[in-house]
Structures are given as structure tokens and as C-alpha cells.
Amino acid sequence: MSKFTEKDKARLDELISRYPTKKAALLPSLWVAQEVYGGWLPLEAMDEVAQHLELPTADVQGVATFYTMYNKEPRGQHAIEICHNVSCMVLGAEQLIQHCERKLGVSATGETTADGVFTLARVECLGACCNAPAVQVGGTYYENVTAEQMDALLEKLKSAPSEVVTPPQSAMPEMRKF
Amino acid sequence: MSEQPQLLYKHRHVPGINTIDVWMAHGGYENFKKALAMEPDAVIEEVKVSGLRGRGGAGFPTHIKWNAVPKNRDVEHYLIINADEGEPGTAKDRDLMNGLPHLLVEGCLISMHAIRASKCYIYIRGEYIEPWKSVQKAINEAYEKGFCGKNVLGSGLDFDIYTHLGAGAYECGEESALMSSLMGERGMPRMKPPAAPLPMISGAWKRPSVVNNVETVSTLLPIIELGGAKYAEIGYGSPRSRGTKLFSISGHVEKPGVYEIVLGTPFSEVLELCGGVRKGHTLKTYIPGGSSMGFAPPTPLDYPFDYEGIPANTKTLGLGSGGLIVFDETTPIVPITQRLVDFYHHESCGKCTPCREGLNWLHKIYGRIVAGAGKESDIDLIWDICDSIRGKSFCALGEGAIWPVMTSLLLFRDEYLAYIRGGKDAMTDLTTIGL
């Protein structure tokens, strides 16, 4: 069952037009697919991208599985990603992770709460070393996070809609088709 | 304290500087117009005189890269901006893209003119959604004002800039892996010169391509504004390290943040600028240039902090990308090194055996030590594995992974021994770190 609408396909076409080859549009197209398929990439999503980009499905799967931000499993409504690399580590990231694990009752290995609201994961360097510890939810960074702030954030997110990463939109005037 | 002229950060704190109107009110795009009125080779000459070296980590002179690009327009040339900042400790490009996106866009335009490129791809790491939105908005504004697009400012030249979002792979920060990823492949490195042609001759899509860091092209604005010769006068240390550079200072310091510092400023002064080691604590060690450059001993501190200044006897490699992480005496070195080993193990692309197998082995040994089951012979084994990766991995990732390990062994062998001999009792409860 195809999930891509005509509008989605037009978005892929616009992405393709930016590069000398169709294949180059693969990464941004997978972002589109991930958005269309509700935050993760089932095999059908990769197939649809492969079809539109005229690539072997194996090629698309090979690329999608290489990058950690293309989710191969469904995730909760909000993915709480806590940086645990050295700068964050020496400023209390581990305490923050354990705090969240206790609070949500899941392990920070990418587990999702039973109600499907939160997925908790520790991630490698977020590049917010100067404001450690750092947390990312959707596309938003939270920095210098304390346990109290984390509690307030979790409370706030419970009723908030999930934030979806939308792929880059071109600025070239003649390409604004959608 | 020496004077720290703010060239990149001149307008960092002006409200609304991320919008094109405020940017132009502060002289924005004047340097691009100035550069556009010059011949491309004249721009490259200014860069050569300025002594600019790539700010991404390797410190390669920018003008050499630019001069290697064919001087014709027969085939399309590409400028590729490396905004895949993922090195633990490094957070400067994020700050530039968030706060001063037009600095990057204008820098891209100047670079594109110099290397005769008509297309530019800004490869931003997948996690950087906010910087990406900020840069994309700046590009959109530049199109609206006519600085991008067809026949820019009546010059007859076309300049198109696109953003390209990565998807979580540290390896893609490596030049050839970045180009693979841009072309829609797995982000794995490719053969490098001399075995392969220079990317400046045959890079992305086998066309001439220049890969520059965000900060490198941003530095073109002060160079064009001041002129190369004037820019080269800035700098205290070696004649080969000129100008200012951004440093992201993190860890146990009073005022962590991104600082613009004149190259060659004594390291002790750099520490002073960020408020020094947090109150009541002493410096144990620090990583001067992002985690792949290794740990440095707490003395000496008065050496010039630039590409050449890092004392050879510290065994630390150098300035790298400018990610300074400071650790005080409360830091247990073994779990910190384990964290870095696990990071590189996780991020290794798996293309070459020394890196893939070696890091997996190191990951297991460190896991064993931290679980309280380490053996004294592990120390020699770790060293041997590092020695088998050194100089033998396909790209710099393997090399970068072993430097923090080897330097930690050189500096803190006793701590390793105490850790191993003490068994489970000597282990640090990670939740106590940071208190």
C-alpha cells in the first residue's frame, strides 16, 4: 500500500532537482519517508523511496540502516535523547539518565513506555558540549538540564504533539511547487 | 591579558543579527560585493597572504586547496561545506550556524566565487535541526535579496546554495565519507590522494569539489574586509598559525562556552578567559582539540595555543577542531576513556579491519575493566591493539580513536593499575560524577 501522496512525490521531485543524480536525493528522501510513515522507516517506506528514485531496494535499505537517525522500529510520541559523551558525562549526564529511567520505568537503551508516549535513549555527542548536560527531543535541544527541569519537561511533553523533523525545503524561487 | 579581537563574533550579541536586514545594517554582504568585484584568483591570493588554515581539524592551508581547482568553468565545480560537527567536545559550528547564519552564507558565496563554483551543498549533521533551520532561513533570505540565484548582482554568475541534512554518522565528517553521503551512499571513506585523484580535480560526482569547514568559510569575511596582509598580522605564536579561531570550552570550567581567541594566546590565558577550573578544584588533565587529539598533562600551561604550539612532549597531537574539554581532579580517567572508546566503536563505519576489529576489542576490554574483571596484562594489550590501529586504518577515525586511549595510558597508568587491582571496589559509581 503506497502511503506517498502526489504532494509527497512532488517533494521528492524537488529534492531530486537539487542534485546531478537521482541517487543523491536519497538521504533527504528518507527523511520525507520517515515523516510520512509516522517517525520510522518500515520496509514499505524504503521500497517506496527506492521506486521513486529508481534505485535497487537493497541500495536504499543499505543506506537507511547505516545511519542511526533513520528509525528501524516505531518510537514513542516523544523521543527523549540524552547525550552521554564526556562533556555531558562529567557534568552529570549519568545521573540524569538514571533519573529518567526511574521516572519513566524504561531503560535508556531506546525503550518505549507502555503508554507509547516516551522513548528514552542515550545518544552520542549532540554537539552541545558547552551547555552540558544536553537533551534532545524531536528537533529541539534542552541544555544545562537539571533533574527538576527534566521533570517539568516530561510533564509539559505529555500533552504536547510530537515534533516531526521535516526535510529541507529549497529556497530557489522556481522550485516552490508545493 | 592579551587583547582578543572579535572578528567572527563582532556582531554575535546584536539582537536579530540572524535576520538579513539587521545583518545588512551591520555591513552584511558588503564583503561579498567586494569579493565579487575581484577576480577569483585575486580572492585566492588574499587568502594565501592571510595564512588561513582550515578550521575543521586538520589545519590544511585553504589557498592550496582552492588553487588546485581547475581555473575554468567547463564543468560544474562544487563547494561542499562540512557542517557535520560531531567530535565530542566540539560545538563551535553549531553556535555559528544558530547565531550568525549569514556569516556562513556570505562566506559560502565568497568561496564559491573564488573556486568558480555555481553550486554549494551545506552538509549539516542530522542532530542539528535548529542550526539547519537557521541556515535554511538565511539562505532563503539571501535568495530574496538576490545574493543567491541566477545572475547574482548582475555579475553573470549563478550561485545556488542547498542544505543537505545528514542522519547520524560521525564518520560523515571525514571529507571523502561526507562526499559519499552527499551522493546518497553509506558514509564510508574513499581512497585518498596520492592513490586517488584530488577531490579538487575529481570529487563529488567526479567533478571538482572543495570541502571546507563552516568556520573556515566564515573566516573569509574578516579576511576580505581587512585584507589578507592585515589579517596575517593577527596572531601571537607561530608564523604559520594566523588569525582568530573559535574554541568551544566545556567540562569543569567556571564559564563554559564558545570563545573567539587569537591563535597563539598562551594556554593559561585561554583558561583564564573561561573562568578557569571550577572553584575549589584543580586541573587534572584536558583535551585540547576535540576528543581525537588525546589528553594533555596539567603542565606546562604557558605554551602558545595554536597549530604548532602544543608541546611535543605532551604526546598530544594538536589543536584539532578547537574542542577544549577540561577535567578536574574528581574525574576518573578509566570510565572517561571507556566512554570515548565506546563512542568510536559505535561510530566506526566498519570499512577497514584495524578500526572495526580493533575498536571492538578495545570496547570489550574496557567493559571488562570497568566491570571489575580487568587483568594487569590488559594494559599492555590495550597498547598493542592501539599500535596495530595506528597508521593502519583507512581514514582518521581509527587514528583519532586511539589517541585518547594511548595518552591516557601514558599519563595515568597508575590509575589504570589501581582500578584493575582494586577490583569492583575501586570502580567509580558513574552517578557520582558531576557532583
Side-chain angles (χ1 to χ4, degrees):
Chain A
M1 239 317 259
S2 170
K3 262 200 182 185
F4 280 11
T5 60
E6 287 310 309
K7 196 177 159 213
D8 296 328
K9 287 179 184 161
R11 280 166 76 186
L12 296 198
D13 289 336
E14 189 270 325
L15 290 169
I16 292 167
S17 70
R18 300 179 194 184
Y19 304 95
T21 61
K22 270 194 170 182
K23 191 177 189 185
L26 183 49
L27 262 71
S29 300
L30 287 171
W31 279 112
V32 173
Q34 182 155 293
E35 184 203 324
V36 172
Y37 277 80
W40 71 295
L41 286 176
L43 288 177
E44 304 87 80
M46 298 184 206
D47 285 346
E48 278 208 66
V49 171
Q51 244 169 31
H52 200 89
L53 264 55
E54 292 168 10
L55 291 172
T57 312
D59 259 18
V60 174
Q61 289 180 7
V63 169
T65 49
F66 182 82
Y67 297 93
T68 54
M69 293 182 77
Y70 296 129
N71 303 309
K72 272 64 80 178
E73 303 277 331
R75 303 213 294 182
Q77 189 184 341
H78 300 289
I80 316 278
E81 299 180 322
I82 307 178
C83 177
H84 71 160
N85 218 298
V86 285
S87 296
C88 289
M89 184 181 176
V90 297
L91 290 169
E94 205 62 39
Q95 284 152 303
L96 196 63
I97 290 170
Q98 298 207 359
H99 175 79
C100 289
E101 284 183 331
R102 274 196 304 274
K103 179 123 184 149
L104 299 174
V106 291
S107 145
T109 50
E111 283 186 6
T112 305
T113 53
D115 57 8
V117 177
F118 294 111
T119 299
L120 184 65
R122 41 174 84 222
V123 290
E124 296 302 347
C125 192
L126 284 178
C129 314
C130 303
N131 308 330
V135 176
Q136 186 178 27
V137 185
T140 311
Y141 272 43
Y142 300 88
E143 300 170 40
N144 300 311
V145 181
T146 61
E148 293 75 43
Q149 286 167 348
M150 195 74 217
D151 289 345
L153 177 63
L154 291 177
E155 210 45 53
K156 196 184 95 188
L157 287 173
K158 266 182 195 162
S159 50
S162 59
E163 192 183 339
V164 184
V165 172
T166 329
Q169 173 133 14
S170 174
M172 294 178 69
E174 72 269 29
M175 287 188 177
R176 285 197 197 128
K177 289 180 198 149
F178 52 89
Chain B
M1 204 176 283
S2 15
E3 192 199 347
Q4 302 291 336
Q6 302 291 293
L7 303 175
L8 298 178
Y9 272 180
K10 189 157 72 174
H11 304 304
R12 177 71 179 87
H13 299 290
V14 175
I17 195 71
N18 57 341
T19 61
I20 200 162
D21 293 332
V22 179
W23 179 252
M24 287 177 74
H26 287 82
Y29 292 99
E30 289 304 317
N31 291 312
F32 170 53
K33 287 179 194 159
K34 192 170 161 187
L36 198 57
M38 294 159 71
E39 280 298 311
D41 285 341
V43 178
I44 299 179
E45 187 58 28
E46 287 298 321
V47 172
K48 183 178 177 184
V49 172
S50 77
L52 175 67
R53 294 172 65 171
R55 305 296 199 220
F60 190 77
T62 305
H63 71 94
I64 297 184
K65 248 187 203 180
W66 286 11
N67 257 325
V69 179
K71 309 266 183 205
N72 55 48
R73 294 180 191 272
D74 302 348
V75 289
E76 206 158 41
H77 298 184
Y78 299 115
L79 173 70
I80 301 167
I81 301 298
N82 186 342
D84 190 80
E85 177 180 67
E87 179 107 333
T90 312
K92 62 182 177 70
D93 292 343
R94 172 169 172 257
D95 197 62
L96 270 182
M97 290 189 281
N98 266 340
L100 297 161
H102 284 288
L103 187 69
L104 170 61
V105 175
E106 191 174 347
C108 288
L109 290 167
I110 297 172
S111 313
M112 285 164 82
H113 176 54
I115 64 165
R116 300 170 171 85
S118 55
K119 280 202 169 77
C120 166
Y121 296 97
I122 304 180
Y123 187 102
I124 303 177
R125 71 181 291 205
E127 287 87 347
Y128 279 7
I129 305 298
E130 284 161 359
W132 157 61
K133 284 181 180 161
S134 167
V135 170
Q136 186 63 58
K137 182 172 157 277
I139 295 172
N140 294 356
E141 288 175 339
Y143 269 103
E144 272 162 28
K145 297 274 182 191
F147 297 122
C148 290
K150 303 269 173 282
N151 188 20
V152 169
L153 305 175
S155 64
L157 301 171
D158 302 339
F159 295 107
D160 283 319
I161 306 181
Y162 306 95
T163 53
H164 183 97
L165 199 62
Y170 170 69
E171 180 55 32
C172 292
E174 198 274 342
E175 182 178 82
S176 62
L178 186 137
M179 284 191 277
S180 302
S181 184
L182 181 66
M183 290 187 281
E185 292 161 19
R186 303 185 131 212
M188 287 185 174
R190 298 187 171 205
M191 281 305 265
K192 287 236 177 104
L198 288 164
M200 289 77 91
I201 309 291
S202 174
W205 300 289
K206 293 202 163 61
R207 291 176 191 165
S209 310
V210 167
V211 182
N212 279 148
N213 180 260
V214 170
E215 191 188 341
T216 312
V217 293
S218 300
T219 306
L220 292 172
L221 273 76
I223 291 174
I224 295 295
E225 188 179 347
L226 300 170
K230 194 108 178 117
Y231 186 84
E233 287 170 16
I234 303 166
Y236 298 110
S238 140
R240 290 183 55 211
S241 294
R242 312 313 295 167
T244 63
K245 158 131 190 55
L246 299 182
F247 288 91
S248 50
I249 308 181
S250 64
H252 291 142
V253 290
E254 282 292 322
K255 292 182 288 176
V258 183
Y259 292 83
E260 182 171 4
I261 292 164
V262 175
L263 285 170
T265 303
F267 180 68
S268 49
E269 275 185 36
V270 174
L271 266 185
E272 253 174 75
L273 278 171
C274 62
V277 179
R278 61 178 176 167
K279 294 241 160 14
H281 293 276
T282 51
L283 180 67
K284 176 173 183 168
T285 181
Y286 60 94
I287 291 177
S291 64
S292 60
M293 290 292 161
F295 296 94
T299 52
L301 288 182
D302 53 353
Y303 62 87
F305 202 44
D306 60 23
Y307 292 103
E308 272 78 31
I310 306 234
N313 62 4
T314 64
K315 306 275 191 263
T316 296
L317 289 182
L319 198 59
S321 49
L324 171 62
I325 317 174
V326 175
F327 301 100
D328 68 19
E329 84 290 347
T330 62
T331 315
I333 215 73
V334 180
I336 294 286
T337 315
Q338 183 201 19
R339 187 75 284 278
L340 290 173
V341 166
D342 287 359
F343 169 76
Y344 287 103
H345 169 241
H346 180 263
E347 298 294 341
S348 172
C349 77
K351 177 170 181 145
C352 72
T353 316
C355 180
R356 181 184 64 237
E357 301 295 330
L359 294 179
N360 188 34
W361 199 356
L362 285 178
H363 160 74
K364 285 181 180 162
I365 295 172
Y366 272 91
R368 186 163 82 211
I369 294 176
V370 170
K375 291 177 274 191
E376 280 185 38
S377 58
D378 282 345
I379 296 182
D380 287 341
L381 184 57
I382 291 173
W383 187 270
D384 281 351
I385 297 169
C386 289
D387 218 30
S388 311
I389 300 174
R390 180 162 59 174
K392 296 171 193 76
S393 61
F394 195 87
C395 77
L397 189 138
E399 196 85 4
I402 59 163
W403 282 108
V405 180
M406 293 180 105
T407 47
S408 77
L409 278 174
L410 283 170
L411 294 169
F412 303 103
R413 198 184 178 89
D414 293 347
E415 206 172 315
Y416 273 84
L417 276 174
Y419 232 85
I420 291 168
R421 286 178 185 154
K424 198 76 187 141
D425 299 336
M427 302 304 134
T428 310
D429 177 6
L430 289 180
T431 54
T432 61
I433 302 180
L435 286 176

